[in-house]
């Protein structure tokens, strides 16, 4: 995090934002998310740390999604009347890292209860991707690719 304040080049700062959440410590992942909405990061960049957490691991995806739900009103308020793509980026980074129909259903239920008409298309695309990836994963698990015999024969 200190590098973010040391660097003067925006590309270098963005690299810090996009990688900071790729740590093993769940408390540091959560701290990264909290920092993302602290106001210390430009609005146009505040979703990068969310992606660094949400795409870092299965645990990171869970932490990111829970954070988004817990801070939904605050995040929506931060974005306000800015470009809807900012909120779309938060949705993808915090909710898009899953590969199960059950998680897609959970996320869909959340957005049914918390409608975002300006982000409806991005939400639908995210859910479709999760459901498609879940079906593909099921096919892989049922194929010979999931056997030790296949991998041992290479």
């Amino acid at each position: 995090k200190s590098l973010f304040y040391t660097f003067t080049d925006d590309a270098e700062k963005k690299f810090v934002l996009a990688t900071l959440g790729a740590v093993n410590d769940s408390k540091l992942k959560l701290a990264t998310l909290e920092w993302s909405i602290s106001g210390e990061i430009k609005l146009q960049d505040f979703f990068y740390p969310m992606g660094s957490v949400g795409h870092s691991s299965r645990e990171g995806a869970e932490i990111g999604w829970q954070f988004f739900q817990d801070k939904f009103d605050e995040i929506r308020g931060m974005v306000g009347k800015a470009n809807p793509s900012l909120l779309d980026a938060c949705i993808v980074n915090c909710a898009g890292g899953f590969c199960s129909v059950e998680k897609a259903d959970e996320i869909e239920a959340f957005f049914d209860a918390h409608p975002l008409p300006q982000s409806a298309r991005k939400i639908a695309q995210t859910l479709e991707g999760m459901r498609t990836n879940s079906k593909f994963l099921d096919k892989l698990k049922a194929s010979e690719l999931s056997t030790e015999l296949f991998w041992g024969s290479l």
Side-chain angles (χ1 to χ4, degrees):
K1 184 173 159 182
S2 63
L3 283 175
F4 177 81
Y5 297 108
T6 304
F7 290 146
T8 55
D9 182 73
D10 285 342
E12 292 174 324
K13 286 184 173 195
K14 198 177 291 185
F15 181 78
V16 172
L17 297 176
T19 58
L20 195 60
V23 295
N24 291 327
D25 187 328
S26 60
K27 289 179 183 170
L28 290 176
K29 288 181 185 297
L30 187 57
T32 298
L33 292 169
E34 291 289 350
W35 182 55
S36 74
I37 62 170
S38 69
E40 295 179 41
I41 300 170
K42 293 178 189 176
L43 182 62
Q44 68 200 34
D45 295 332
F46 88 108
F47 59 88
Y48 288 113
M50 293 178 185
S52 75
V53 171
H55 300 300
S56 65
S57 64
R58 185 179 304 198
E59 178 189 35
E62 291 289 349
I63 291 169
W65 172 235
Q66 188 60 56
F67 179 82
F68 183 86
Q69 292 173 89
D70 293 345
K71 303 291 185 173
F72 176 74
D73 291 331
E74 189 173 343
I75 293 168
R76 190 171 59 174
M78 282 180 67
V79 173
K81 296 192 184 302
N83 191 319
S85 66
L86 292 173
L87 190 54
D88 290 352
C90 294
I91 292 165
V92 169
N93 286 329
C94 292
F98 299 102
C99 188
S100 77
V101 172
E102 296 78 21
K103 204 63 167 180
D105 291 345
E106 174 191 325
I107 292 166
E108 185 172 40
F110 176 84
F111 286 115
D112 285 346
H114 304 86
L116 294 171
Q118 73 279 19
S119 297
R121 182 175 181 173
K122 184 54 71 180
I123 293 166
Q125 290 169 336
T126 301
L127 295 171
E128 179 183 7
M130 274 184 243
R131 290 180 172 124
T132 301
N133 289 338
S134 176
K135 287 178 186 176
F136 182 63
L137 180 60
D138 289 343
K139 286 182 180 185
L140 288 176
K141 287 179 179 178
S143 77
E144 68 176 329
L145 292 173
S146 67
T147 66
E148 286 186 41
L149 180 62
F150 173 82
W151 294 103
S153 69
L154 296 179

